Amino acid sequence: MAEVVAGYLSGSTALLADAGHNLGDVLSLLLAWGASALAARPASDRYTYGFKNTSILAAIANAALLWFALGAVLVETVRRLFDPQPVQGGMMMIVAAVGIAINLGSALLFMRGSKGDLNLRAAFLHLLADAVVSASVVLAGLAILLTGLTWIDPVASLIITIGLGWSSWDLLRDAMRMGLLAVPRHIDDAAVRAFLQSRPGVSAIHDLHIWPMSTTETALTAHLVMPGGHPGDAFLRELAEALAHDHRIDHATVQIERNAADCALIHHPPH
């Protein structure tokens, strides 16, 4: 809010761009927190997986929110390019410098968990990007003070907006992939298939599905054709442990069949 006020008072669209991204981060953190709280709730008769999927919905909402904010700032930036306004470079530098310290400190809080959770990675990248944006605003303010050229501000805002859009595209793509239940990017589905196929007694595999239950958990279902019959619970336990340890698949459900021709799914005709 302080950046929004300072942006209007100073006439800086670059500062408004930084403010818009910061506001998006605050809302993103609230969404991620809400999704985390819901994901921790136990499963029920109707919601048999619980509310784990809300973390994926939050990731999609976060990405969409960020792009909406960037679009709004881009519209104002283009308007200012054709109608430059007086800009107070000193105020830009002071407010943006405070933003650098706050964003870097906040980003460090999310660094540890950012590798395994899409929501935490989104929060970390947003905050880190905000620190870079704030530094860019400081440099733009300094350039305006030294040269008096007001067009530097909208140009800086345009560069910042395009840069943030480019850097966040990967996040948006990952969120949409998860929303469509695609195989998570960190999992090699061919390697998983080869691993299952290589288990002793397995002659074929079909109806293999791998999808994200949440931003941190992955599920798998598969039909294993084993002509020798069911190998016992120890086989299934070792299989689940290997999938979790080697392939980061947390929730595996496997159906054993002696003859694939007897499975209702393998020859199920399309409607």
Side-chain angles (χ1 to χ4, degrees):
M1 292 304 297
E3 277 193 310
V4 170
V5 173
Y8 277 109
L9 291 177
S10 66
S12 171
T13 53
L15 201 56
L16 285 176
D18 194 20
H21 196 227
N22 277 321
L23 179 60
D25 283 345
V26 173
L27 295 177
S28 295
L29 291 174
L30 289 174
L31 283 171
W33 172 79
S36 178
L38 285 173
R41 296 180 62 179
S44 65
D45 291 340
R46 180 168 294 275
Y47 297 96
T48 54
Y49 275 130
F51 292 87
K52 299 179 184 295
N53 194 253
T54 54
S55 61
I56 297 177
L57 297 178
I60 295 174
N62 283 340
L65 181 66
L66 174 61
W67 276 63
F68 177 80
L70 292 178
V73 172
L74 183 62
V75 170
E76 178 63 16
T77 298
V78 172
R79 190 183 71 81
R80 289 290 185 92
L81 279 172
F82 292 97
D83 184 23
Q85 301 293 322
V87 179
Q88 298 182 31
M91 183 180 293
M92 285 176 61
M93 294 177 64
I94 294 172
V95 176
V98 175
I100 294 174
I102 293 175
N103 286 310
L104 280 179
S106 300
L108 292 176
L109 299 175
F110 294 90
M111 181 181 294
R112 179 177 296 180
S114 63
K115 294 181 180 180
D117 188 327
L118 185 62
N119 274 315
L120 290 181
R121 182 158 67 94
F124 174 73
L125 290 176
H126 280 184
L127 292 166
L128 195 63
D130 276 346
V132 174
V133 170
S134 295
S136 301
V137 176
V138 171
L139 293 177
L142 179 61
I144 292 172
L145 281 178
L146 294 177
T147 65
L149 299 174
T150 57
W151 58 262
I152 292 176
D153 175 66
V155 169
S157 177
L158 184 63
I159 294 172
I160 290 169
T161 303
I162 293 174
L164 290 174
W166 178 266
S167 64
S168 62
W169 171 250
D170 195 48
L171 176 66
L172 177 64
R173 184 179 60 181
D174 279 355
M176 293 303 297
R177 281 172 57 90
M178 282 192 165
L180 294 172
L181 303 184
V183 177
R185 187 167 60 170
H186 65 273
I187 293 177
D188 185 343
D189 56 322
V192 173
R193 179 178 290 275
F195 165 75
L196 294 174
Q197 184 74 61
S198 67
R199 297 305 87 198
V202 176
S203 63
I205 176 175
H206 66 93
D207 283 282
L208 172 62
H209 301 285
I210 306 171
W211 73 96
M213 296 172 60
S214 69
T215 54
T216 58
E217 297 178 74
T218 304
L220 171 149
T221 58
H223 291 217
L224 303 184
V225 181
M226 305 184 72
H230 197 289
D233 292 343
F235 171 87
L236 295 176
R237 183 177 63 253
E238 292 171 2
L239 188 70
E241 290 173 352
L243 286 171
H245 183 268
D246 299 333
H247 300 280
R248 296 172 62 184
I249 295 175
D250 316 279
H251 196 287
T253 303
V254 176
Q255 178 171 314
I256 305 297
E257 300 164 350
R258 298 189 66 173
N259 187 347
D262 294 331
C263 180
L265 295 179
I266 192 168
H267 296 303
H268 186 68
H271 293 285

